Amino acid sequence: MDDTLKRLLDAEMRAERLAKQAEEEQDSTIQHAMDDAKVENDRFTARIPDLHRAFIAKAEERAEQNIAELRRRYDERHIQLRDQAEQREDEALEAAFQILIGPER
């Protein structure tokens, strides 16, 4: 009986040591993961200004493209309106002339 009790006590002691070792390893793993997360967070935080500059540069590029497109459309419309005005200039002058001399007839 003493032998069995002694073996049970030894087994319990080993189990406690294993549990304590597993708990320490778990704590170590958690701490390591937290340290890694902090390093990654710091690295990301350090990159924020670069990301912001890249975003601003891309936005400025798109804005410049939009402005160029609007200018192109404006120029095309301006040319169309100028052409229409030139095409109708003689008609407008004739109509204005008829209005001016019309009542006198």
Side-chain angles (χ1 to χ4, degrees), residues 16-88:
E16 284 181 16
R17 279 195 309 271
L18 287 173
K20 185 175 181 182
Q21 182 182 1
E23 190 176 310
E24 288 171 355
E25 287 176 9
Q26 180 184 19
D27 289 344
S28 174
T29 301
I30 290 171
Q31 187 60 46
H32 183 68
M34 289 176 64
D35 291 344
D36 288 348
K38 184 179 181 330
V39 166
E40 290 300 319
N41 186 49
D42 291 346
R43 186 179 0 214
F44 176 75
T45 301
R47 288 189 56 220
I48 287 175
D50 292 335
L51 294 171
H52 187 255
R53 278 191 293 276
F55 176 79
I56 294 296
K58 197 67 159 173
E60 286 175 348
E61 181 182 331
R62 284 192 304 267
E64 289 172 6
Q65 289 172 350
N66 287 338
I67 290 168
E69 177 64 18
L70 288 172
R71 281 191 178 135
R72 184 189 62 77
R73 287 186 202 168
Y74 172 82
D75 290 344
E76 286 176 358
R77 183 67 177 146
H78 180 76
I79 290 168
Q80 289 174 348
L81 291 174
R82 175 59 54 203
D83 289 346
Q84 287 176 355
E86 288 175 2
Q87 290 171 0
R88 295 196 174 113

